[in-house]
Amino acid sequence: MDSIGFDDINPSEMTDVLEINITKTTDSKLPEVDMDNIAFGRAYSDHMFIADYEDGEWKNSRIIPYRNLSISPANAALHYAQSIFEGLKAYRTQDGDIATFRADENARRMRSSAIRMCMPAVPEELFLEAIYELVNLDRDWVPSTDGSSLYIRPFQFAMDPYIGIRPAQKYTFMVISGPVGQYYTEPVKVKIETEYARAMPGGVGAAKTAGNYAAALYPAKRAQDEGYHQLIWTDAHTHKYIEESGTMNIMFVIDGMLVTPQTSDTILAGITRASAIELAKDWGMIVEERRIKVTEIIEAMEQGRLQEAFGIGTAATVSQISVINHEGIDYELPSGESCEISNKLLKSLTDIRLGRVPDKFGWMHKI
Ligand code: COI
C-alpha cells in the first residue's frame, strides 16, 4: 500500500530525531513492584519515549520520567481513533543480558498500520532507537522470573486539536514499557462468534489500530459473561471461515499438520505467528496457511483428528485452547503436557528468547 500525503523521511536527514534527549527520574517506582507476582499491564517502567510529528517531520525525541499526558479535549485521536500501536517484549537472557525479539518486524508492521490509517510512518531507525534506548535505561525493570518479560508498547496517535474529519497534521509517537507475566494464566475457553464481526474485506482488520480492539469489546464481553475467555472471529460475510482471536492468532494441529488461517486484510499478521510457522517448517512439519472452514474444525473435533488448538501472540505467547464453543456446544480439547506441538513451540521460542539455544534465525537484538 502506498502512503498518501506523507513523504517518507530519508534516514540521512534524521540525525536530529535520532539524538534522544534523556531526562532521568529521581524517584524510581521499581521498589514498589513485586516482580514475583506480575500481572499483565498493571505496572509501567520509570521512563517513556516521545517524539512529535509536526511540519512534515519527526522531531524532538526525548525520554522523560513516566507521567500523564496533557491533551486537548478536541484531540482527533480521542474522537476519530487515528491511533495505532505495537506490542513486543524484551527478555533477560540466561547470561544476564537484555534482548528484544524481532523489533524490526514490529517497525514494519507499524509502518503498514500507519499507511492504512493515513498517518505518517515512524521511520524504522527511529522506532528501533526509541525502543533500544528506553529498554536500556529501564533495564532493571526486565524481570527474570519464569514466563515473565518486559512488555514494550510503541504507539502513535493524532495530536490535532480539531474535530473536523481529516487526517491530522500533528502526531505523537511514544513508547512505554512494563514488566508482565502471563496474559492468560490458564488454558483458554473460546467461543466461535457467528453474529458479530471484527473485520471486513477492505477494512482495517490487518492494521493494529485502536478501534479494532474497541469494536471487539462488546461481543467478547458477551462471551465472557457466558464463561469464555475470548472469541474466535469468523469472516464478516458468511461466518463460515475462522479468522483470528482478537488478542492472538489461532493455530490448529489436525492429523499431525499445523493449520492456521492465511493472513489477509481481515487478520493481523502476527509476528509470533510467523515465527511459529518458521519453527514448525524448520522441524519438517507440514504447515498449511489457508482458509479454514468452521465446519472443518467441528468435524475434526468430532472425529478426534484435531489434536491441539492454541492462540499465539506477543502478549498471549502460546496459549492452549481447552474448549471451543460453537452454536451452544462446548467441544473439549486436550490441553497441558500432552499437547506436543504447542509445548514444543513455547519451549523453542522461550529457549531462543532466553539465550538457552543459539539464535539461528537472528531474531534477538542484544541491548
Ligand atoms: C500483543 O500481543 O502485543 C497485543 O497487542 C495484544 C493485546 C491483547 C495485548
Side-chain angles (χ1 to χ4, degrees):
M1 201 187 306
D2 292 333
S3 55
I4 313 161
F6 298 107
D7 293 331
D8 274 347
I9 296 168
N10 179 344
S12 65
E13 292 166 14
M14 287 200 334
T15 42
D16 284 356
V17 76
L18 293 179
E19 272 161 33
I20 302 173
N21 193 301
I22 297 179
T23 310
K24 291 187 187 172
T25 185
T26 52
D27 177 25
S28 173
K29 300 285 181 282
L30 188 53
E32 295 165 22
V33 179
D34 176 2
M35 286 290 197
D36 293 324
N37 285 300
I38 348 173
F40 187 93
R42 300 283 175 202
Y44 297 95
S45 68
D46 283 328
H47 299 91
M48 59 189 193
F49 172 91
I50 315 185
D52 309 314
Y53 183 89
E54 240 181 270
D55 305 324
E57 60 177 332
W58 288 103
K59 52 178 90 163
N60 197 15
S61 34
R62 57 216 187 264
I63 290 178
I64 59 171
Y66 184 93
R67 60 156 195 248
N68 290 346
L69 302 172
S70 169
I71 285 183
S72 160
N75 174 283
L78 296 180
H79 295 268
Y80 307 123
Q82 223 194 347
S83 171
I84 57 176
F85 69 96
E86 274 301 321
L88 68 153
K89 285 175 172 171
Y91 300 84
R92 191 172 292 279
T93 70
Q94 66 171 15
D95 296 336
D97 292 327
I98 306 294
T100 51
F101 181 76
R102 308 199 76 177
D104 50 341
E105 290 296 328
N106 293 92
R108 275 179 224 131
R109 191 172 61 185
M110 183 131 147
R111 178 190 160 78
S112 15
S113 298
I115 293 170
R116 181 61 184 86
M117 302 309 291
C118 213
M119 300 161 90
V122 172
E124 184 169 331
E125 294 79 358
L126 174 60
F127 182 93
L128 295 176
E129 199 57 30
I131 288 168
Y132 298 156
E133 278 292 335
L134 183 71
V135 172
N136 189 34
L137 190 60
D138 281 343
R139 59 194 301 127
D140 291 346
W141 284 81
V142 184
S144 54
T145 45
D146 218 27
S148 67
S149 55
L150 185 80
Y151 186 78
I152 303 162
R153 171 53 62 88
F155 56 111
Q156 179 185 346
F157 54 96
M159 268 303 263
D160 287 10
Y162 175 63
I163 56 168
I165 301 276
R166 66 164 192 209
Q169 287 160 1
K170 293 183 192 167
Y171 294 86
T172 296
F173 166 52
M174 296 189 63
V175 187
I176 57 173
S177 74
V180 295
Q182 310 280 3
Y183 192 83
Y184 294 112
T185 51
E186 56 185 355
V188 287
K189 297 179 182 172
V190 294
K191 181 180 170 184
I192 298 180
E193 176 61 59
T194 51
E195 186 180 351
Y196 294 92
R198 173 186 172 274
M200 74 200 116
V204 296
K208 208 159 169 64
T209 185
N212 281 336
Y213 295 79
L217 292 175
Y218 178 72
K221 170 80 172 59
R222 283 173 33 130
Q224 280 151 13
D225 289 346
E226 293 171 33
Y228 302 96
H229 296 90
Q230 255 304 328
L231 297 171
I232 296 183
W233 292 104
T234 50
D235 70 290
H237 286 321
T238 66
H239 295 294
K240 286 187 177 153
Y241 292 91
I242 304 274
E243 300 229 300
E244 59 152 275
S245 186
T247 48
M248 51 197 182
N249 293 112
I250 187 148
M251 294 190 162
F252 304 97
V253 181
I254 305 174
D255 295 330
M257 287 178 291
L258 188 64
V259 185
T260 190
Q262 70 199 38
T263 52
S264 68
D265 61 355
T266 57
I267 297 179
L268 189 82
I271 294 160
T272 319
R273 173 191 176 281
S275 310
I277 289 171
E278 230 173 300
L279 281 170
K281 284 184 177 166
D282 191 56
W283 304 332
M285 215 178 156
I286 297 174
V287 179
E288 292 187 350
E289 293 180 71
R290 58 171 171 82
R291 297 189 85 194
I292 304 172
K293 272 197 162 163
V294 172
T295 48
E296 176 187 345
I297 296 302
I298 305 298
E299 271 170 34
M301 287 192 292
E302 284 172 348
Q303 294 164 358
R305 291 187 300 112
L306 194 144
Q307 294 144 316
E308 296 177 44
F310 51 94
I312 191 149
T314 298
T317 60
V318 179
S319 293
Q320 292 177 351
I321 292 174
S322 59
V323 172
I324 296 183
N325 175 281
H326 182 242
E327 289 176 347
I329 301 174
D330 273 352
Y331 296 86
E332 308 264 345
L333 295 172
S335 62
E337 282 178 18
S338 67
C339 294
E340 188 197 333
I341 301 303
S342 48
N343 283 319
K344 190 170 169 188
L345 279 172
L346 181 60
K347 182 175 181 325
S348 301
L349 286 166
T350 307
D351 284 350
I352 293 171
R353 288 162 170 167
L354 301 188
R356 291 176 184 153
V357 296
D359 171 25
K360 73 172 187 178
F361 299 100
W363 286 342
M364 304 307 293
H365 175 90
K366 195 167 136 184
I367 307 278

